[in-house]
Amino acid sequence: MKKRPYVTCLMMTSVDGKILSEKWGSDATVKKLANKFEEVHEKIGVKAWIVGRTTMEKDFTDFAKPILKKGHQEVDRKDFVAEHQSDSFAIAIDGQGKLGWEEPEMEGDHVISVLTEAVPDAYLAHLKDIGVSYIFAGEKVISLQTALEKLYALFDIKHLMLEGGAHINGSFLNEKLIDELQHVLLPIADGTIETSTLFEIDKDIKREGATLLKLENVKQMEDDVLWLSYTFKY
């Protein structure tokens, strides 16, 4: 098996395991607690982070529609490493090419899109034009193992931060591709059924039972927030 990055999953949840939600409200106390995520992110200091398409469009691209280059386009299904000066990366799992990229950088991080070969030529042509890098990790379905191997080989990414959402986290867990969990536990009880949890795996694809973790460290932060560090016992 080829080399892949060491994967740290960094997530912030309520005490009942729910991911940050608009239902928690927007008062100053909630916002202050939510800022603990970025605080921990900076302390860990990993320069490459990866999220699923839903998280990327909700939190970063503001649901922008995919842009297709006009005219007849024919683009080979070869990985494209755009020219860039950054040593930090914002990576999106976007198998069908649904994210509307307009810039090749996000707050200084070079954008890499993880695609399948099923995306339209016109979409790839647009990404090339604006300087967004992309890699192929499957014909119609994303292979996370392939994606990680290519991120390591093409971009020299040796440590990767996985930051959700629930289904992408679950997919990494299902493939045993997470090496450690950094869990920011907020003193909030969500109490709703609808809100996603930290890991979600469809019962039809779940490979095994529960995954055991080993607690490595517990740190109490300000405002009754806990920072829990685990490794995985696959």
Side-chain angles (χ1 to χ4, degrees), residues 53 92-98 114-119 140 142:
R53 188 261 305 171
I93 302 287
D94 185 24
Q96 305 308 312
K98 294 184 178 182
V114 181
L115 307 170
T116 66
E117 296 178 14
V119 299
K140 295 181 180 180
I142 291 288

Side-chain angles (χ1 to χ4, degrees), residues 85-102:
Q85 303 300 319
S86 178
D87 63 351
S88 57
F89 302 93
I91 307 161
I93 302 287
D94 185 24
Q96 305 308 312
K98 294 184 178 182
L99 290 170
W101 295 111
E102 298 177 358

Side-chain angles (χ1 to χ4, degrees), residues 9 26 30 49 53 72 79 83 89 122 130 136 158 166 169 180 210 218 230:
C9 181
S26 58
V30 172
W49 54 277
R53 188 261 305 171
H72 178 72
D79 303 321
E83 292 186 11
F89 302 93
I130 65 173
F136 295 103
K158 295 182 172 63
N169 290 347
E180 69 177 25
V218 179
Y230 295 92

